[in-house]
Amino acid sequence: MSAHADNSPTEQALSALEERVTELARRCTRLSEENQGLQRQLQQLQHERGSLLEKNEIAKSRVEAMINRLKAMEEAP
């Protein structure tokens, strides 16, 4: 049996290592894609939050204006 036979312990170890490296590369790609998706989602949620805060401020201003008008009507003779 030669040292370069396909079933040698070295060949088996190299084959197992190659499979592990290939799986690791796949996982890295998947995690990178997942990370990009999460970053897009975070950006979208931050934009939505900003929009909701702005709408909340507008609603607050309107309510305050209504309260002031009601107070003014109460005070008018």
Side-chain angles (χ1 to χ4, degrees):
M1 184 172 213
S2 74
H4 294 89
D6 284 347
N7 290 333
S8 72
T10 303
E11 286 294 323
Q12 291 174 355
L14 285 174
S15 181
L17 180 59
E18 182 179 13
E19 288 178 26
R20 290 175 66 188
V21 169
T22 300
E23 178 59 26
L24 181 59
R26 255 189 241 117
R27 286 183 184 186
C28 285
T29 300
R30 182 179 51 81
L31 289 172
S32 178
E33 291 169 355
E34 182 180 340
N35 187 39
Q36 289 174 359
L38 290 170
Q39 287 176 348
R40 283 190 299 271
Q41 185 179 7
L42 176 61
Q43 188 176 32
Q44 179 183 358
L45 289 171
Q46 288 173 332
H47 177 73
E48 184 179 335
R49 180 181 182 271
S51 178
L52 290 172
L53 287 172
E54 184 178 341
K55 287 179 181 181
N56 189 40
E57 283 300 315
I58 291 170
K60 181 180 173 183
S61 295
R62 288 174 136 176
V63 169
E64 287 175 352
M66 284 188 273
I67 290 171
N68 290 334
R69 283 195 300 266
L70 288 171
K71 285 181 181 179
M73 289 173 62
E74 287 177 352
E75 295 172 359

